[in-house]
Each structure stands twice: as C-alpha cells, then as structure tokens.
Amino acid sequence: MAIQKKIELETATLNTDPQAPIDFFNAVYGKYKTAEATSEGCVERFYNLAGRKIRLCFAGSALIPYLTPALSHLEIEAVANPELTVCLWDSESTHTAMLPPPWSKDCYHPKRGEIIGYNTDRIHTSFQWGSYALSLLDRDRNLGIYWISTVKQIPYWETGSPLRTIFNVWLNQREVQLVHAGAVGLPEGGVLLAGKGGSGKSTSALACLNSNLFYASDDYCLISPTPTPTVFSLYNTGKKNADDVERLPFLASAIRNRDRLDTEKALYFIHQTFPEKVINTFPIKAILIPRIAGTKDTTLEPTSSTSALTALAPSTMIQLPGTGKEACQMMKTVADRVPCYELRVGTEIEQIPQTIFQLLTQ
C-alpha cells in the first residue's frame, strides 16, 4: 500500500550509535525510579488486554485519574507475572525532571511522532505532539515508559484513549492490532465500523447503546485475525462532536467534559454510566463502512474487502506510531475473511442499530 511505503520512508533510521536507544531508555527508566522514590511510591493497576495481563506502575497517584478510567472495564486483580509492565510518571508531582533529548528537532516524525534514529527492533521511542508526552518500549524486557511534564498537558482525547502507542507496538508482536475503528455486536458476533472522522462511525457505534447490541468501541479497538477474526475492546470511552450531542439524548448523563464543549468533543465514559452495555470481545462477522446517506433510512450495500481495507488502514497507520507492514497484513486478513458492507447512515438514529442487529441475526 502507498501509505505503508510512505510511512516506512519517513521513519527510516538515521545513522546513529546502535546502543544509543538502549542507553536512553535505561537513563529514562532510572529517572522513573527516582520519581517513584521521591513521590508516594509505586501505585499499581492491572488489566487484561486481549487476554494479555499487563501492569501499570504509577510513580505516585497524579496520573491515575487521567489515564485509568478508559481502561476500567478491563481491570483485574493483581497478578504475579504480568506480560507487560508500563511505568508512568510526571515531572511536576514527582519533582523529577526529564532528561534533555539527545536528538535534534529534525528527528521528530511530523505526524506520528517516532524519534528517527531512536527506533530499533528492540526499542521504540515516540513523542506525542498533542500532549508533549514521551512513550518508550523495550520489547526484550516487555517494559514500557510513559512520561509527561504535568497532568495539565493531558488533552481530553488522551484521557479517552491513553497509552495507544505502547499498547500498539507491544501487541502487534502478538498478532493483535490496534485499529482506528468502532465495534458493536452480540456475544456470538459483531461488526467492525471502519472509516475516517466524519463518516458516521461514532454516531453509529454510540447509537447502539440504546438497543439490544453491546458496545466495544467507537474509535479504537483491538483486532486479531487468528484463529478467527476477533475484536477486543480497549477503551470504554466514546467521543462526539459537541454540536451533535443532542442527536443522542440518552447519553447526556455520560458526558464528562460538559463545561468544555466549546473547545472539545463530548467525551463519554461508557463503563461508568452503562456498564451492562460494554462487551470485551466477540467474533467479527462483518466490516461496515459508514457513509452519511442524507436519507431517512439506514441501509446496507455489499462492498469489497479492498474498500474495507481502504477505510480501515490509512487512518490507523497515520495515527499510530509503530504501525507497519505487519499491521497492514493483519487488517487485510480480517477484511478478506468476513463480508464487507457500506452502512448508509440515515437520519433516523434508531434505524442504525436495527439494521446492524438484523444483519447479525438473519
């Protein structure tokens, strides 16, 4: 795919000391240990991501209210040997400054944030421009690090979908791909909603909360092609344009940033308000590509797996650092194995879940 080749060229590694990424990771990890010692110690949280047990280790509690609510539906009891550990800290609350970056300003990928010259088969290093946060992963040690200067810099969308980069890079090695897609359905099977912003993806997914269908995602979820195409919920949040929230009045009580809708999308924490509607996994029975039809009725029209991949892959690859040919292959495999349809979204909201339900139960 052209998008894949473009990203691979943009993230080509500059000539540098091959030890430099490891040395930088180890130095930042040392800073985390200092932050932990100078704060209230390590506060642990454990989660199940697509069957993998992970541990988040916070240096103090400042970041917890911002980075854990979106994952609350996946929280589990503590386990002795988690498969991945992510260490999280901020400089302000721990009084621990970050190291100055050992790279030049020309090394920042302009869109996805990878640090050119500091990404290898072992180490992933990226910088998130929206929050000015640094994410690192040592694949050999299954150890991640997330740093931000202050919680004041965490934007609402990061609260709704935290740690995307680390999760994406780590899970990709385990035949699980983080994708930019919605997912709704029933325990016996559901649909993946693929499309760029403005296509009706979020409206379609959130409308299903007022129906017999269950909700796994409206924006980001996990998929695996083996042994059969399967979706896994990652975040229990949803987002909606502020000028469009009245179309879903049953969700009004779930808006968590109502006082900031003049500058932010509405952010919903579904698990807090509708815990019985959140589903963690189901087999993928079809991929739907929402299109705003401008008509009253919502209808389905069969389409090709190529169209589904075109709706799914570009936005996923552009948004998620560390996404490459393996991700493309997983998305292609899923698209090739299930029926694909255009979901022509009408103005009568109730028809959206009805149409999906009929597809899944026919």
Side-chain angles (χ1 to χ4, degrees):
M1 295 178 65
I3 185 74
Q4 176 186 329
K5 292 179 180 178
K6 181 175 185 291
I7 289 172
E8 287 175 349
L9 286 172
E10 287 178 339
T11 57
T13 304
L14 299 176
N15 291 326
T16 186
D17 177 2
Q19 186 63 29
I22 298 173
D23 290 343
F24 180 69
F25 183 98
N26 290 336
V28 174
Y29 184 58
K31 282 288 188 178
Y32 165 78
K33 299 303 288 186
T34 299
E36 186 181 286
T38 57
S39 62
E40 55 197 271
C42 175
V43 183
E44 297 182 329
R45 295 289 187 272
F46 294 83
Y47 301 91
N48 184 332
L49 269 60
R52 279 77 176 176
K53 309 300 190 299
I54 72 158
R55 172 176 58 192
L56 302 186
C57 294
F58 293 88
S61 58
L63 290 174
I64 291 177
Y66 296 88
L67 301 182
T68 63
L71 298 165
S72 62
H73 62 307
L74 303 177
E75 190 166 6
I76 58 174
E77 296 295 324
V79 296
N81 297 298
E83 296 166 73
L84 169 69
T85 294
V86 182
C87 301
L88 306 96
W89 60 292
D90 73 288
S91 289
E92 183 178 58
S93 73
T94 64
H95 308 290
T96 306
M98 172 55 85
L99 297 166
W103 50 77
S104 71
K105 63 180 181 179
D106 297 329
C107 292
Y108 294 94
H109 185 282
K111 294 181 180 178
R112 302 204 311 179
E114 286 106 332
I115 306 302
I116 301 174
Y118 280 78
N119 282 276
T120 67
D121 290 342
R122 175 177 172 179
I123 302 294
H124 179 88
T125 310
S126 63
F127 181 79
Q128 294 170 254
W129 289 103
S131 56
Y132 296 95
L134 186 68
S135 295
L136 302 102
L137 177 69
D138 184 334
R139 296 174 177 90
D140 286 2
R141 287 188 282 180
N142 295 308
L143 180 63
I145 303 173
Y146 174 91
W147 168 84
I148 193 166
S149 177
T150 168
V151 298
K152 300 181 185 73
Q153 290 177 214
I154 301 176
Y156 75 97
W157 64 82
E158 180 73 4
T159 298
S161 49
L163 304 175
R164 293 189 309 278
T165 298
I166 293 172
F167 292 158
N168 176 53
V169 175
W170 186 76
L171 287 166
N172 180 263
Q173 294 181 293
R174 290 154 179 82
E175 292 192 275
V176 177
Q177 178 59 45
L178 201 162
V179 293
H180 179 225
V184 295
L186 301 167
E188 57 269 27
V191 300
L192 202 63
L193 297 163
K196 62 183 180 180
S199 66
K201 176 166 52 67
S202 291
T203 296
S204 298
L206 292 167
C208 292
L209 287 164
N210 197 30
S211 75
N212 293 328
L213 297 173
F214 294 91
Y215 179 93
S217 162
D218 89 312
D219 207 19
Y220 298 103
C221 59
L222 304 171
I223 62 171
S224 178
T226 58
T228 58
T230 303
V231 71
F232 300 93
S233 178
L234 181 56
Y235 307 118
N236 68 76
T237 49
K239 295 193 293 291
K240 194 84 174 70
N241 287 331
D243 60 0
D244 202 32
V245 295
E246 300 307 321
R247 296 183 68 200
L248 301 171
F250 61 91
L251 283 175
S253 63
I255 298 175
R256 289 294 174 265
N257 58 337
R258 185 172 289 278
D259 59 329
R260 300 189 301 278
L261 294 185
D262 56 332
T263 57
E264 301 176 357
K265 287 186 176 182
L267 179 64
Y268 306 95
F269 284 98
I270 307 302
H271 188 243
Q272 293 180 4
T273 311
F274 303 100
E276 73 285 354
K277 299 299 293 182
V278 177
I279 189 169
N280 288 351
T281 185
F282 52 70
I284 300 172
K285 298 301 184 182
I287 297 177
L288 308 186
I289 309 169
R291 310 283 192 206
I292 303 298
T295 60
K296 174 186 174 183
D297 296 330
T298 293
T299 59
L300 289 170
E301 183 70 26
T303 191
S304 67
S305 61
T306 300
S307 295
L309 185 61
T310 300
L312 182 63
S315 61
T316 293
M317 297 189 70
I318 289 170
Q319 292 189 36
L320 296 172
T323 307
K325 61 183 179 180
E326 295 86 358
C328 278
Q329 186 56 54
M330 279 190 274
M331 288 184 277
K332 182 179 186 302
T333 300
V334 171
D336 287 342
R337 289 183 178 178
V338 300
C340 303
Y341 301 87
E342 276 196 8
L343 178 69
R344 298 180 177 176
V345 179
T347 57
E348 192 170 284
I349 294 293
E350 295 78 8
Q351 285 197 30
I352 301 172
Q354 290 170 5
T355 302
I356 298 173
F357 184 81
Q358 288 170 6
L359 173 67
L360 294 173
T361 56
Q362 64 186 9

